[in-house]
Short mmCIF file of all heavy atoms in Angstrom, two decimals:
data_model
loop_
_atom_site.label_atom_id
_atom_site.label_comp_id
_atom_site.label_asym_id
_atom_site.label_seq_id
_atom_site.Cartn_x
_atom_site.Cartn_y
_atom_site.Cartn_z
N MET J 1 -3.50 -11.75 -13.84
CA MET J 1 -4.14 -13.00 -13.50
C MET J 1 -5.35 -13.20 -14.42
O MET J 1 -6.07 -12.27 -14.72
CB MET J 1 -4.61 -12.96 -12.04
CG MET J 1 -5.21 -14.24 -11.58
SD MET J 1 -5.48 -14.19 -9.81
CE MET J 1 -7.11 -14.80 -9.74
N SER J 2 -5.55 -14.42 -14.86
CA SER J 2 -6.69 -14.72 -15.71
C SER J 2 -7.58 -15.76 -15.04
O SER J 2 -7.13 -16.55 -14.22
CB SER J 2 -6.24 -15.21 -17.07
OG SER J 2 -5.52 -16.41 -16.94
N ILE J 3 -8.84 -15.73 -15.42
CA ILE J 3 -9.81 -16.69 -14.91
C ILE J 3 -10.19 -17.62 -16.05
O ILE J 3 -10.49 -17.16 -17.16
CB ILE J 3 -11.06 -15.98 -14.35
CG1 ILE J 3 -10.67 -15.10 -13.17
CG2 ILE J 3 -12.13 -16.99 -13.96
CD1 ILE J 3 -11.79 -14.25 -12.64
N VAL J 4 -10.17 -18.91 -15.78
CA VAL J 4 -10.53 -19.91 -16.77
C VAL J 4 -11.80 -20.62 -16.31
O VAL J 4 -11.89 -21.05 -15.15
CB VAL J 4 -9.38 -20.92 -16.98
CG1 VAL J 4 -9.80 -22.01 -17.96
CG2 VAL J 4 -8.14 -20.22 -17.48
N LYS J 5 -12.75 -20.74 -17.21
CA LYS J 5 -14.01 -21.42 -16.91
C LYS J 5 -14.04 -22.72 -17.70
O LYS J 5 -13.49 -22.80 -18.80
CB LYS J 5 -15.19 -20.52 -17.29
CG LYS J 5 -16.53 -21.06 -16.87
CD LYS J 5 -17.62 -20.04 -17.08
CE LYS J 5 -18.94 -20.60 -16.57
NZ LYS J 5 -20.01 -19.62 -16.66
N VAL J 6 -14.72 -23.73 -17.16
CA VAL J 6 -14.82 -25.03 -17.83
C VAL J 6 -16.29 -25.38 -18.01
O VAL J 6 -17.09 -25.27 -17.07
CB VAL J 6 -14.12 -26.14 -17.01
CG1 VAL J 6 -14.26 -27.49 -17.69
CG2 VAL J 6 -12.65 -25.80 -16.79
N ILE J 7 -16.64 -25.79 -19.23
CA ILE J 7 -18.00 -26.28 -19.51
C ILE J 7 -17.89 -27.71 -20.02
O ILE J 7 -16.86 -28.13 -20.54
CB ILE J 7 -18.74 -25.40 -20.54
CG1 ILE J 7 -17.98 -25.32 -21.87
CG2 ILE J 7 -19.00 -24.02 -19.97
CD1 ILE J 7 -18.73 -24.61 -22.98
N GLU J 8 -18.96 -28.46 -19.85
CA GLU J 8 -19.00 -29.83 -20.33
C GLU J 8 -19.92 -29.90 -21.54
O GLU J 8 -21.04 -29.38 -21.51
CB GLU J 8 -19.51 -30.76 -19.22
CG GLU J 8 -19.18 -32.19 -19.45
CD GLU J 8 -19.26 -33.01 -18.17
OE1 GLU J 8 -19.16 -32.44 -17.08
OE2 GLU J 8 -19.42 -34.23 -18.30
N VAL J 9 -19.44 -30.54 -22.61
CA VAL J 9 -20.16 -30.59 -23.88
C VAL J 9 -20.23 -32.03 -24.36
O VAL J 9 -19.24 -32.76 -24.30
CB VAL J 9 -19.44 -29.71 -24.94
CG1 VAL J 9 -20.14 -29.79 -26.28
CG2 VAL J 9 -19.34 -28.28 -24.48
N LEU J 10 -21.39 -32.43 -24.86
CA LEU J 10 -21.56 -33.73 -25.51
C LEU J 10 -21.63 -33.49 -27.01
O LEU J 10 -22.33 -32.59 -27.46
CB LEU J 10 -22.85 -34.40 -25.04
CG LEU J 10 -23.00 -34.61 -23.54
CD1 LEU J 10 -24.39 -35.14 -23.23
CD2 LEU J 10 -21.94 -35.54 -23.02
N ALA J 11 -20.89 -34.28 -27.78
CA ALA J 11 -20.89 -34.11 -29.23
C ALA J 11 -20.77 -35.47 -29.91
O ALA J 11 -20.21 -36.41 -29.35
CB ALA J 11 -19.74 -33.21 -29.65
N THR J 12 -21.29 -35.54 -31.14
CA THR J 12 -21.26 -36.79 -31.89
C THR J 12 -20.70 -36.57 -33.30
O THR J 12 -20.59 -35.44 -33.78
CB THR J 12 -22.67 -37.38 -32.02
OG1 THR J 12 -23.49 -36.46 -32.74
CG2 THR J 12 -23.28 -37.70 -30.67
N SER J 13 -20.39 -37.69 -33.94
CA SER J 13 -19.93 -37.68 -35.32
C SER J 13 -20.18 -39.05 -35.92
O SER J 13 -20.17 -40.05 -35.20
CB SER J 13 -18.43 -37.37 -35.40
OG SER J 13 -17.93 -37.62 -36.70
N ASP J 14 -20.38 -39.10 -37.20
CA ASP J 14 -20.50 -40.41 -37.86
C ASP J 14 -19.17 -40.83 -38.48
O ASP J 14 -19.08 -41.87 -39.12
CB ASP J 14 -21.62 -40.41 -38.90
CG ASP J 14 -21.43 -39.37 -39.98
OD1 ASP J 14 -20.45 -38.61 -39.93
OD2 ASP J 14 -22.28 -39.32 -40.89
N LYS J 15 -18.11 -40.01 -38.25
CA LYS J 15 -16.79 -40.29 -38.86
C LYS J 15 -15.78 -40.87 -37.87
O LYS J 15 -15.15 -41.89 -38.16
CB LYS J 15 -16.22 -39.01 -39.46
CG LYS J 15 -17.04 -38.45 -40.60
CD LYS J 15 -16.45 -37.16 -41.11
CE LYS J 15 -17.35 -36.56 -42.18
NZ LYS J 15 -16.88 -35.26 -42.62
N SER J 16 -15.58 -40.17 -36.72
CA SER J 16 -14.52 -40.59 -35.79
C SER J 16 -14.65 -39.87 -34.45
O SER J 16 -15.40 -38.90 -34.33
CB SER J 16 -13.14 -40.27 -36.38
OG SER J 16 -12.96 -38.86 -36.46
N PHE J 17 -13.87 -40.35 -33.47
CA PHE J 17 -13.82 -39.66 -32.19
C PHE J 17 -13.18 -38.29 -32.34
O PHE J 17 -13.58 -37.33 -31.71
CB PHE J 17 -13.05 -40.49 -31.16
CG PHE J 17 -13.79 -41.73 -30.70
CD1 PHE J 17 -13.28 -42.99 -30.97
CD2 PHE J 17 -14.97 -41.63 -30.00
CE1 PHE J 17 -13.95 -44.13 -30.54
CE2 PHE J 17 -15.66 -42.76 -29.57
CZ PHE J 17 -15.14 -44.01 -29.85
N ASP J 18 -12.15 -38.21 -33.19
CA ASP J 18 -11.50 -36.91 -33.44
C ASP J 18 -12.50 -35.90 -33.98
O ASP J 18 -12.52 -34.74 -33.56
CB ASP J 18 -10.36 -37.05 -34.45
CG ASP J 18 -9.16 -37.81 -33.91
OD1 ASP J 18 -9.06 -37.96 -32.67
OD2 ASP J 18 -8.32 -38.24 -34.72
N ASP J 19 -13.32 -36.33 -34.90
CA ASP J 19 -14.32 -35.44 -35.49
C ASP J 19 -15.37 -35.04 -34.46
O ASP J 19 -15.82 -33.90 -34.44
CB ASP J 19 -14.98 -36.13 -36.69
CG ASP J 19 -15.76 -35.17 -37.56
OD1 ASP J 19 -15.22 -34.10 -37.90
OD2 ASP J 19 -16.92 -35.49 -37.90
N ALA J 20 -15.74 -35.96 -33.58
CA ALA J 20 -16.69 -35.64 -32.52
C ALA J 20 -16.10 -34.59 -31.58
O ALA J 20 -16.79 -33.65 -31.17
CB ALA J 20 -17.07 -36.89 -31.75
N ALA J 21 -14.82 -34.71 -31.24
CA ALA J 21 -14.16 -33.72 -30.38
C ALA J 21 -14.11 -32.37 -31.07
O ALA J 21 -14.37 -31.33 -30.46
CB ALA J 21 -12.76 -34.19 -30.01
N GLN J 22 -13.82 -32.36 -32.37
CA GLN J 22 -13.80 -31.09 -33.11
C GLN J 22 -15.20 -30.49 -33.16
O GLN J 22 -15.35 -29.27 -33.05
CB GLN J 22 -13.27 -31.32 -34.53
CG GLN J 22 -13.21 -30.05 -35.36
CD GLN J 22 -12.31 -28.99 -34.74
OE1 GLN J 22 -11.14 -29.22 -34.52
NE2 GLN J 22 -12.87 -27.81 -34.44
N ASN J 23 -16.22 -31.31 -33.30
CA ASN J 23 -17.59 -30.81 -33.30
C ASN J 23 -17.94 -30.16 -31.96
O ASN J 23 -18.64 -29.15 -31.93
CB ASN J 23 -18.58 -31.94 -33.61
CG ASN J 23 -18.53 -32.38 -35.05
OD1 ASN J 23 -17.99 -31.69 -35.91
ND2 ASN J 23 -19.06 -33.55 -35.34
N ALA J 24 -17.42 -30.72 -30.87
CA ALA J 24 -17.65 -30.12 -29.55
C ALA J 24 -17.05 -28.72 -29.49
O ALA J 24 -17.70 -27.77 -29.03
CB ALA J 24 -17.06 -31.00 -28.46
N VAL J 25 -15.82 -28.59 -29.97
CA VAL J 25 -15.16 -27.28 -29.96
C VAL J 25 -15.87 -26.31 -30.91
O VAL J 25 -16.10 -25.15 -30.56
CB VAL J 25 -13.67 -27.42 -30.34
CG1 VAL J 25 -13.01 -26.07 -30.52
CG2 VAL J 25 -12.94 -28.24 -29.29
N THR J 26 -16.24 -26.78 -32.08
CA THR J 26 -16.91 -25.92 -33.06
C THR J 26 -18.23 -25.40 -32.52
O THR J 26 -18.53 -24.21 -32.64
CB THR J 26 -17.15 -26.71 -34.37
OG1 THR J 26 -15.87 -27.11 -34.89
CG2 THR J 26 -17.87 -25.85 -35.40
N GLU J 27 -19.03 -26.26 -31.91
CA GLU J 27 -20.31 -25.83 -31.37
C GLU J 27 -20.12 -24.87 -30.19
O GLU J 27 -20.81 -23.86 -30.09
CB GLU J 27 -21.15 -27.03 -30.95
CG GLU J 27 -21.76 -27.78 -32.12
CD GLU J 27 -22.67 -26.91 -32.98
OE1 GLU J 27 -23.56 -26.22 -32.43
OE2 GLU J 27 -22.48 -26.92 -34.20
N ALA J 28 -19.19 -25.19 -29.30
CA ALA J 28 -18.94 -24.31 -28.15
C ALA J 28 -18.46 -22.94 -28.60
O ALA J 28 -18.83 -21.92 -28.01
CB ALA J 28 -17.92 -24.95 -27.21
N SER J 29 -17.67 -22.90 -29.66
CA SER J 29 -17.11 -21.62 -30.13
C SER J 29 -18.17 -20.68 -30.69
O SER J 29 -17.90 -19.50 -30.88
CB SER J 29 -16.02 -21.86 -31.17
OG SER J 29 -16.57 -22.34 -32.37
N LYS J 30 -19.37 -21.19 -30.93
CA LYS J 30 -20.45 -20.31 -31.41
C LYS J 30 -20.92 -19.36 -30.32
O LYS J 30 -21.44 -18.29 -30.63
CB LYS J 30 -21.62 -21.16 -31.91
CG LYS J 30 -21.31 -21.92 -33.18
CD LYS J 30 -22.49 -22.77 -33.63
CE LYS J 30 -22.16 -23.53 -34.90
NZ LYS J 30 -23.27 -24.40 -35.33
N THR J 31 -20.74 -19.74 -29.05
CA THR J 31 -21.20 -18.89 -27.95
C THR J 31 -20.10 -18.55 -26.95
O THR J 31 -20.31 -17.72 -26.07
CB THR J 31 -22.37 -19.55 -27.19
OG1 THR J 31 -21.95 -20.84 -26.73
CG2 THR J 31 -23.59 -19.69 -28.09
N VAL J 32 -18.94 -19.20 -27.06
CA VAL J 32 -17.84 -19.00 -26.12
C VAL J 32 -16.61 -18.51 -26.87
O VAL J 32 -16.29 -19.05 -27.94
CB VAL J 32 -17.52 -20.33 -25.38
CG1 VAL J 32 -16.27 -20.21 -24.55
CG2 VAL J 32 -18.69 -20.78 -24.54
N LYS J 33 -15.92 -17.52 -26.30
CA LYS J 33 -14.69 -17.01 -26.90
C LYS J 33 -13.49 -17.46 -26.09
O LYS J 33 -13.62 -17.87 -24.95
CB LYS J 33 -14.72 -15.48 -26.95
CG LYS J 33 -15.82 -14.93 -27.83
CD LYS J 33 -15.79 -13.42 -27.82
CE LYS J 33 -16.94 -12.88 -28.66
NZ LYS J 33 -16.98 -11.43 -28.64
N ASN J 34 -12.32 -17.37 -26.68
CA ASN J 34 -11.04 -17.66 -26.01
C ASN J 34 -10.91 -19.09 -25.52
O ASN J 34 -10.39 -19.34 -24.43
CB ASN J 34 -10.80 -16.69 -24.85
CG ASN J 34 -10.75 -15.25 -25.29
OD1 ASN J 34 -10.19 -14.95 -26.34
ND2 ASN J 34 -11.35 -14.36 -24.52
N ILE J 35 -11.37 -20.08 -26.31
CA ILE J 35 -11.21 -21.48 -25.94
C ILE J 35 -9.73 -21.80 -25.90
O ILE J 35 -8.98 -21.49 -26.83
CB ILE J 35 -11.96 -22.41 -26.91
CG1 ILE J 35 -13.48 -22.18 -26.78
CG2 ILE J 35 -11.60 -23.87 -26.66
CD1 ILE J 35 -14.32 -22.95 -27.77
N LYS J 36 -9.30 -22.44 -24.80
CA LYS J 36 -7.89 -22.75 -24.61
C LYS J 36 -7.57 -24.24 -24.71
O LYS J 36 -6.48 -24.61 -25.09
CB LYS J 36 -7.41 -22.23 -23.24
CG LYS J 36 -7.53 -20.73 -23.09
CD LYS J 36 -6.68 -20.01 -24.11
CE LYS J 36 -6.79 -18.50 -23.96
NZ LYS J 36 -6.12 -17.79 -25.03
N SER J 37 -8.53 -25.09 -24.32
CA SER J 37 -8.24 -26.53 -24.38
C SER J 37 -9.54 -27.34 -24.37
O SER J 37 -10.60 -26.84 -24.02
CB SER J 37 -7.37 -26.96 -23.20
OG SER J 37 -8.09 -26.85 -21.99
N VAL J 38 -9.39 -28.59 -24.78
CA VAL J 38 -10.50 -29.54 -24.71
C VAL J 38 -9.95 -30.82 -24.10
O VAL J 38 -8.87 -31.30 -24.48
CB VAL J 38 -11.15 -29.79 -26.09
CG1 VAL J 38 -10.15 -30.32 -27.10
CG2 VAL J 38 -12.34 -30.73 -25.98
N TYR J 39 -10.65 -31.35 -23.12
CA TYR J 39 -10.29 -32.60 -22.45
C TYR J 39 -11.42 -33.59 -22.70
O TYR J 39 -12.56 -33.34 -22.30
CB TYR J 39 -10.10 -32.36 -20.95
CG TYR J 39 -10.06 -33.62 -20.13
CD1 TYR J 39 -8.95 -34.46 -20.17
CD2 TYR J 39 -11.13 -33.99 -19.33
CE1 TYR J 39 -8.92 -35.62 -19.41
CE2 TYR J 39 -11.10 -35.15 -18.57
CZ TYR J 39 -9.99 -35.96 -18.63
OH TYR J 39 -9.95 -37.11 -17.88
N VAL J 40 -11.12 -34.66 -23.40
CA VAL J 40 -12.13 -35.67 -23.68
C VAL J 40 -12.24 -36.58 -22.46
O VAL J 40 -11.33 -37.34 -22.14
CB VAL J 40 -11.81 -36.48 -24.96
CG1 VAL J 40 -12.83 -37.57 -25.17
CG2 VAL J 40 -11.76 -35.54 -26.16
N LYS J 41 -13.37 -36.44 -21.78
CA LYS J 41 -13.61 -37.16 -20.52
C LYS J 41 -14.03 -38.60 -20.79
O LYS J 41 -13.57 -39.51 -20.13
CB LYS J 41 -14.68 -36.40 -19.74
CG LYS J 41 -15.00 -36.94 -18.39
CD LYS J 41 -16.03 -36.05 -17.72
CE LYS J 41 -16.59 -36.70 -16.48
NZ LYS J 41 -17.65 -35.90 -15.89
N GLU J 42 -14.93 -38.78 -21.74
CA GLU J 42 -15.45 -40.12 -22.07
C GLU J 42 -15.65 -40.23 -23.58
O GLU J 42 -15.92 -39.23 -24.25
CB GLU J 42 -16.80 -40.36 -21.39
CG GLU J 42 -16.75 -40.40 -19.89
CD GLU J 42 -18.13 -40.56 -19.27
OE1 GLU J 42 -19.15 -40.48 -19.99
OE2 GLU J 42 -18.19 -40.75 -18.05
N MET J 43 -15.53 -41.46 -24.07
CA MET J 43 -15.82 -41.74 -25.48
C MET J 43 -16.73 -42.97 -25.52
O MET J 43 -16.57 -43.88 -24.72
CB MET J 43 -14.54 -42.06 -26.26
CG MET J 43 -13.55 -40.93 -26.29
SD MET J 43 -12.12 -41.24 -27.36
CE MET J 43 -11.43 -42.72 -26.69
N ASN J 44 -17.66 -42.97 -26.47
CA ASN J 44 -18.47 -44.16 -26.69
C ASN J 44 -18.92 -44.19 -28.13
O ASN J 44 -18.84 -43.19 -28.84
CB ASN J 44 -19.64 -44.26 -25.71
CG ASN J 44 -20.60 -43.11 -25.84
OD1 ASN J 44 -21.15 -42.88 -26.91
ND2 ASN J 44 -20.82 -42.38 -24.76
N ALA J 45 -19.35 -45.36 -28.57
CA ALA J 45 -19.79 -45.53 -29.96
C ALA J 45 -21.05 -46.38 -29.99
O ALA J 45 -21.24 -47.25 -29.14
CB ALA J 45 -18.68 -46.20 -30.78
N ASN J 46 -21.88 -46.09 -30.97
CA ASN J 46 -23.09 -46.90 -31.19
C ASN J 46 -22.81 -47.88 -32.31
O ASN J 46 -22.19 -47.53 -33.32
CB ASN J 46 -24.27 -46.00 -31.57
CG ASN J 46 -24.72 -45.15 -30.40
OD1 ASN J 46 -24.77 -45.61 -29.27
ND2 ASN J 46 -25.03 -43.90 -30.67
N VAL J 47 -23.28 -49.11 -32.12
CA VAL J 47 -23.00 -50.18 -33.07
C VAL J 47 -24.30 -50.75 -33.61
O VAL J 47 -25.25 -50.98 -32.86
CB VAL J 47 -22.18 -51.31 -32.38
CG1 VAL J 47 -21.97 -52.48 -33.31
CG2 VAL J 47 -20.86 -50.76 -31.86
N THR J 48 -24.34 -50.96 -34.92
CA THR J 48 -25.46 -51.62 -35.58
C THR J 48 -24.89 -52.66 -36.53
O THR J 48 -23.98 -52.36 -37.31
CB THR J 48 -26.31 -50.60 -36.38
OG1 THR J 48 -26.80 -49.60 -35.48
CG2 THR J 48 -27.49 -51.27 -37.07
N ASN J 49 -25.40 -53.89 -36.46
CA ASN J 49 -24.93 -54.98 -37.32
C ASN J 49 -23.41 -55.13 -37.28
O ASN J 49 -22.76 -55.25 -38.32
CB ASN J 49 -25.42 -54.80 -38.76
CG ASN J 49 -26.91 -54.88 -38.87
OD1 ASN J 49 -27.57 -55.65 -38.16
ND2 ASN J 49 -27.50 -54.09 -39.76
N ASN J 50 -22.86 -55.07 -36.09
CA ASN J 50 -21.42 -55.23 -35.87
C ASN J 50 -20.56 -54.14 -36.51
O ASN J 50 -19.36 -54.33 -36.71
CB ASN J 50 -20.94 -56.61 -36.35
CG ASN J 50 -21.62 -57.72 -35.59
OD1 ASN J 50 -21.85 -57.61 -34.40
ND2 ASN J 50 -21.95 -58.79 -36.29
N GLN J 51 -21.15 -52.99 -36.81
CA GLN J 51 -20.41 -51.86 -37.38
C GLN J 51 -20.67 -50.62 -36.54
O GLN J 51 -21.81 -50.36 -36.12
CB GLN J 51 -20.87 -51.58 -38.83
CG GLN J 51 -20.58 -52.70 -39.80
CD GLN J 51 -19.10 -52.87 -40.04
OE1 GLN J 51 -18.36 -51.90 -40.21
NE2 GLN J 51 -18.64 -54.12 -40.04
N ILE J 52 -19.62 -49.83 -36.31
CA ILE J 52 -19.80 -48.57 -35.59
C ILE J 52 -20.54 -47.60 -36.51
O ILE J 52 -20.13 -47.38 -37.65
CB ILE J 52 -18.46 -47.97 -35.16
CG1 ILE J 52 -17.79 -48.89 -34.13
CG2 ILE J 52 -18.64 -46.56 -34.58
CD1 ILE J 52 -16.40 -48.46 -33.71
N VAL J 53 -21.64 -47.05 -36.01
CA VAL J 53 -22.44 -46.14 -36.82
C VAL J 53 -22.34 -44.69 -36.34
O VAL J 53 -22.66 -43.77 -37.10
CB VAL J 53 -23.92 -46.58 -36.88
CG1 VAL J 53 -24.05 -47.90 -37.63
CG2 VAL J 53 -24.53 -46.68 -35.50
N SER J 54 -21.90 -44.48 -35.10
CA SER J 54 -21.67 -43.11 -34.63
C SER J 54 -20.73 -43.11 -33.44
O SER J 54 -20.65 -44.09 -32.70
CB SER J 54 -22.99 -42.42 -34.27
OG SER J 54 -23.57 -43.02 -33.14
N TYR J 55 -20.00 -42.01 -33.33
CA TYR J 55 -19.02 -41.82 -32.26
C TYR J 55 -19.49 -40.65 -31.40
O TYR J 55 -20.06 -39.69 -31.93
CB TYR J 55 -17.66 -41.47 -32.84
CG TYR J 55 -17.12 -42.52 -33.79
CD1 TYR J 55 -17.51 -42.55 -35.13
CD2 TYR J 55 -16.21 -43.48 -33.35
CE1 TYR J 55 -17.01 -43.50 -36.00
CE2 TYR J 55 -15.71 -44.44 -34.22
CZ TYR J 55 -16.11 -44.44 -35.55
OH TYR J 55 -15.63 -45.38 -36.41
N ALA J 56 -19.24 -40.72 -30.10
CA ALA J 56 -19.65 -39.63 -29.21
C ALA J 56 -18.55 -39.36 -28.18
O ALA J 56 -17.82 -40.27 -27.78
CB ALA J 56 -20.94 -39.99 -28.50
N VAL J 57 -18.44 -38.10 -27.79
CA VAL J 57 -17.50 -37.72 -26.74
C VAL J 57 -18.21 -36.84 -25.73
O VAL J 57 -19.13 -36.10 -26.05
CB VAL J 57 -16.26 -36.97 -27.28
CG1 VAL J 57 -15.44 -37.85 -28.19
CG2 VAL J 57 -16.64 -35.67 -27.96
N ASN J 58 -17.76 -36.97 -24.50
CA ASN J 58 -18.15 -36.07 -23.42
C ASN J 58 -16.87 -35.28 -23.15
O ASN J 58 -15.88 -35.84 -22.69
CB ASN J 58 -18.59 -36.88 -22.20
CG ASN J 58 -19.01 -36.01 -21.04
OD1 ASN J 58 -18.77 -34.81 -21.02
ND2 ASN J 58 -19.63 -36.62 -20.06
N ALA J 59 -16.87 -34.00 -23.49
CA ALA J 59 -15.66 -33.20 -23.44
C ALA J 59 -15.79 -32.03 -22.48
O ALA J 59 -16.87 -31.44 -22.35
CB ALA J 59 -15.32 -32.68 -24.83
N LYS J 60 -14.70 -31.70 -21.82
CA LYS J 60 -14.63 -30.50 -21.00
C LYS J 60 -13.83 -29.47 -21.78
O LYS J 60 -12.70 -29.73 -22.20
CB LYS J 60 -13.97 -30.80 -19.66
CG LYS J 60 -14.81 -31.66 -18.76
CD LYS J 60 -14.22 -31.76 -17.39
CE LYS J 60 -15.19 -32.51 -16.48
NZ LYS J 60 -14.80 -32.41 -15.09
N ILE J 61 -14.45 -28.32 -22.00
CA ILE J 61 -13.82 -27.25 -22.76
C ILE J 61 -13.51 -26.09 -21.82
O ILE J 61 -14.38 -25.63 -21.09
CB ILE J 61 -14.74 -26.79 -23.91
CG1 ILE J 61 -14.91 -27.96 -24.89
CG2 ILE J 61 -14.19 -25.55 -24.59
CD1 ILE J 61 -15.84 -27.70 -26.03
N SER J 62 -12.26 -25.66 -21.83
CA SER J 62 -11.87 -24.55 -20.97
C SER J 62 -11.64 -23.30 -21.81
O SER J 62 -11.15 -23.38 -22.93
CB SER J 62 -10.62 -24.89 -20.16
OG SER J 62 -9.52 -25.08 -21.01
N PHE J 63 -12.03 -22.17 -21.24
CA PHE J 63 -11.85 -20.90 -21.95
C PHE J 63 -11.56 -19.81 -20.95
O PHE J 63 -11.97 -19.86 -19.79
CB PHE J 63 -13.09 -20.55 -22.79
CG PHE J 63 -14.38 -20.49 -22.02
CD1 PHE J 63 -14.89 -19.29 -21.58
CD2 PHE J 63 -15.09 -21.65 -21.74
CE1 PHE J 63 -16.09 -19.23 -20.87
CE2 PHE J 63 -16.29 -21.61 -21.04
CZ PHE J 63 -16.78 -20.39 -20.60
N GLU J 64 -10.81 -18.82 -21.42
CA GLU J 64 -10.40 -17.71 -20.57
C GLU J 64 -11.47 -16.63 -20.57
O GLU J 64 -11.99 -16.28 -21.63
CB GLU J 64 -9.07 -17.16 -21.07
CG GLU J 64 -8.43 -16.18 -20.14
CD GLU J 64 -7.03 -15.80 -20.60
OE1 GLU J 64 -6.44 -16.53 -21.41
OE2 GLU J 64 -6.56 -14.76 -20.14
N ILE J 65 -11.79 -16.15 -19.39
CA ILE J 65 -12.79 -15.08 -19.23
C ILE J 65 -12.06 -13.75 -19.39
O ILE J 65 -11.02 -13.53 -18.76
CB ILE J 65 -13.45 -15.15 -17.85
CG1 ILE J 65 -14.08 -16.50 -17.64
CG2 ILE J 65 -14.40 -13.98 -17.65
CD1 ILE J 65 -15.55 -16.58 -17.76
N GLU J 66 -12.61 -12.89 -20.22
CA GLU J 66 -12.03 -11.56 -20.39
C GLU J 66 -12.44 -10.69 -19.21
O GLU J 66 -13.59 -10.70 -18.79
CB GLU J 66 -12.51 -10.92 -21.68
CG GLU J 66 -12.03 -11.65 -22.93
CD GLU J 66 -12.57 -11.04 -24.20
OE1 GLU J 66 -13.38 -10.10 -24.13
OE2 GLU J 66 -12.20 -11.52 -25.28
N SER J 67 -11.47 -9.97 -18.67
CA SER J 67 -11.81 -9.10 -17.54
C SER J 67 -11.67 -7.63 -17.90
O SER J 67 -11.24 -7.25 -18.91
CB SER J 67 -10.90 -9.42 -16.36
OG SER J 67 -9.56 -9.45 -16.73
#
């Protein structure tokens, strides 16, 4: 039996939502091992002069706890 823990991470990117999600996983992986999945809970973007200038995601990252 394995135990899975879930953390919530906010991440941004100036390129895309995909890149913001990858940034969430990359940052979480600096302190968390055995990441199994990422669930993007919310997405939003900041707009300046009718252009998207940054993308953001609120992601839930799940990882397996070693026993």
Side-chain angles (χ1 to χ4, degrees):
M1 183 171 133
S2 62
I3 297 174
V4 176
K5 187 171 183 176
V6 179
I7 58 173
E8 198 161 338
V9 178
L10 304 173
T12 62
S13 169
D14 58 358
K15 296 178 185 175
S16 67
F17 289 116
D18 290 343
D19 194 48
Q22 181 60 58
N23 288 344
V25 173
T26 300
E27 285 301 311
S29 70
K30 291 179 180 178
T31 56
V32 172
K33 296 180 182 178
N34 300 320
I35 293 175
K36 299 298 180 187
S37 67
V38 59
Y39 166 73
V40 176
K41 183 177 168 185
E42 295 176 352
M43 298 186 302
N44 61 58
N46 291 319
V47 176
T48 301
N49 295 325
N50 299 322
Q51 296 291 317
I52 295 175
V53 294
S54 67
Y55 302 83
V57 296
N58 180 346
K60 290 189 174 191
I61 296 177
S62 64
F63 56 98
E64 190 173 342
I65 303 256
E66 294 177 357
S67 49

